[in-house]
Amino acid sequence: MIDSHCHFDFPDYDKDRETQWESAQSIGVSELLIPGVTAQQWPHLLKLVENVPAWHCALGLHPFFLSTYEPNALETLETLLKANHDSCVAVGEIGLDATLDVDFNLQLEVFD
């Protein structure tokens, strides 16, 4: 099995990431896809997946976290995707969420 969406890079896992990975493997999970949510988080995510061949990443900008959005983020995203095509297997997180208190026009711009 492949876990196609887990935030294994979040600080919540810092204390027991290895134990959690061993637990996942024990029930048949062989690979992880870890989606990025902010540009500031991408370097940490890329470093994390480079050490474990079974972990892959998707870099993206989740609408919930657009308060940290910087205008050069999309250029950075393109550069990182090209430079890390072995470990980055998708783009994500991305999307639109009109229920958030985040500028919807900015969400549209980033999504587009």
Side-chain angles (χ1 to χ4, degrees), residues 12-90:
D12 305 52
Y13 292 99
D14 286 350
K15 291 182 182 176
D16 66 346
R17 188 174 285 111
E18 185 61 35
T19 302
Q20 293 295 327
W21 174 232
E22 290 171 5
S23 178
Q25 289 178 296
S26 75
I27 60 169
V29 176
S30 61
E31 298 183 51
L32 302 178
L33 178 57
I34 307 168
V37 295
T38 67
Q40 295 81 4
Q41 169 234 18
W42 297 337
H44 169 68
L45 177 52
L46 288 166
K47 183 147 182 67
L48 188 69
V49 301
E50 80 181 15
N51 297 318
V52 184
W55 296 358
H56 314 282
C57 67
L59 302 181
L61 297 163
H62 191 286
F64 185 80
F65 298 99
L66 287 181
S67 63
T68 64
Y69 176 74
E70 296 175 3
N72 67 338
L74 295 175
E75 289 177 21
T76 302
L77 175 61
E78 185 174 351
T79 300
L80 289 174
L81 289 171
K82 287 179 182 176
N84 297 281
H85 58 83
D86 290 338
S87 57
C88 292
V89 298

